[in-house]
Amino acid sequence: MQGTIISEICKIKQLSELYITENKLISGEVPTCFGNLTSLRKLYLNSNKLSKVPSSLWSLRDILEVNLSDNALTLSLPIEIGNLKAVTFLDLSKNMISGSIPRAISGLQNLQILNLSQNKLVGVAEFGSKGIISTKGDVYSFGIMLMETFTRKKPTDDLFVAGLSMKGWISESLSRAIDRVVDSNLLQDEGHHHVDDIIASTSSILKLALNCCEDLPEERMNMTDIAASLNKVKAKFLKASDKDVVRFCRK
């Protein structure tokens, strides 16, 4: 099957379930009129090459299951997604969706399964492993911020394609060559700050950032412990710097 999804489907007013899946030759946009299919309860358009869905789709208040995974969607998630009040299953994984996860998702009280993986999203509102809203979305965002600060990279950079994520890139480099991911400007041997001390401190901070970005919210540290850990890294770095000052003065 190839081509695009035809708008004539919308003439079936009592359509309750629609499955157009695993047709890699189906491309283009989902017709705008899909927002008028108020009897629709299950919509499966996964594993195609769809590039856009209409904003009207998010007005289907009675739809129960939506699967748009494994397509080529480049949209940002709108706050209107919160209109899907009855939805229990929502899979938007394996696309190129960017931006942040709208807090409106936290209002989807019937949602049991949410999959937003393998996109270019930055977490805000998230669901835990049991479908329960997590309050640790800000911890995830803080972890991303730490990574961006110390690497001068962003999760949406062209470097991170074909399954390579910023998290994976940093995680692999921590055990091999941390200097390959850290911003080179931070590794300058200036004054009494020895490069080895800078690398050690930066490595500790990036390990902390990776913990903040664990896939399961319940596996992440809380902000109190994060602050305490950062203070320990700071104290250790300053202590090492003081020793370098002493060695420098003795020369």
Side-chain angles (χ1 to χ4, degrees):
M1 188 173 180
Q2 61 181 338
T4 59
I5 299 176
I6 58 176
S7 59
E8 279 73 14
I9 291 177
C10 299
K11 295 179 180 180
I12 310 175
K13 298 299 183 181
Q14 300 304 313
L15 183 66
S16 61
E17 299 182 10
L18 178 61
Y19 299 85
I20 305 177
T21 67
E22 299 183 6
N23 294 288
K24 288 300 184 179
L25 297 179
I26 294 291
S27 60
E29 303 179 6
V30 176
T32 302
C33 61
F34 267 46
N36 299 325
L37 295 173
T38 55
S39 296
L40 197 61
R41 297 296 179 265
K42 297 182 180 181
L43 177 63
Y44 282 72
L45 301 178
N46 54 292
S47 302
N48 292 297
K49 289 188 177 181
L50 298 171
S51 58
K52 186 177 180 180
V53 295
S55 58
S56 60
L57 188 67
W58 312 119
S59 65
L60 297 175
R61 295 177 178 272
D62 296 320
I63 197 165
L64 300 175
E65 299 178 11
V66 178
N67 190 343
L68 300 174
S69 66
D70 195 16
N71 276 289
L73 301 178
T74 57
L75 69 154
S76 295
L77 294 180
I79 59 173
E80 287 79 12
I81 199 170
N83 293 330
L84 305 180
K85 298 299 184 181
V87 72
T88 61
F89 173 83
L90 179 59
D91 191 347
L92 302 176
S93 64
K94 298 181 181 180
N95 282 289
M96 293 178 284
I97 302 173
S98 60
S100 60
I101 303 173
R103 294 185 183 276
I105 287 182
S106 64
L108 302 179
Q109 300 298 321
N110 294 307
L111 188 58
Q112 298 176 19
I113 298 176
L114 171 66
N115 191 350
L116 301 175
S117 64
Q118 298 185 51
N119 280 292
K120 295 186 175 182
L121 289 161
V122 176
V124 177
E126 295 181 284
F127 279 73
S129 59
K130 296 182 180 179
I132 301 172
I133 287 293
S134 167
T135 59
K136 291 192 175 181
D138 290 335
V139 173
Y140 186 100
S141 297
F142 182 72
I144 293 294
M145 183 272 291
L146 288 177
M147 293 182 194
E148 292 179 342
T149 299
F150 286 89
T151 66
R152 294 299 180 189
K153 295 287 190 297
K154 293 182 179 295
T156 54
D157 286 350
D158 292 339
L159 171 65
F160 306 119
V161 294
L164 177 65
S165 66
M166 186 163 72
K167 286 170 52 182
W169 177 62
I170 292 174
S171 180
E172 183 176 339
S173 299
L174 277 176
S175 60
R176 297 184 180 182
I178 186 64
D179 56 305
R180 293 183 181 178
V181 299
V182 176
D183 178 18
S184 59
N185 292 320
L186 298 176
L187 300 179
Q188 303 298 320
D189 194 347
E190 298 180 355
H192 309 305
H193 294 160
H194 195 275
V195 172
D196 289 342
D197 297 330
I198 297 174
I199 289 178
S201 297
T202 303
S203 179
S204 296
I205 292 172
L206 288 177
K207 287 179 181 177
L208 184 65
L210 289 173
N211 178 274
C212 292
C213 296
E214 288 286 353
D215 290 334
L216 296 179
E218 54 265 35
E219 293 182 358
R220 301 171 195 161
M221 298 172 66
N222 59 57
M223 288 305 297
T224 300
D225 291 338
I226 292 169
S229 296
L230 287 174
N231 281 327
K232 288 180 180 179
V233 173
K234 177 183 176 182
K236 186 175 181 179
F237 178 71
L238 292 176
K239 184 177 181 180
S241 297
D242 289 341
K243 289 181 179 179
D244 288 338
V245 170
V246 173
R247 285 195 293 267
F248 178 80
C249 292
R250 287 177 178 174
K251 291 182 179 180

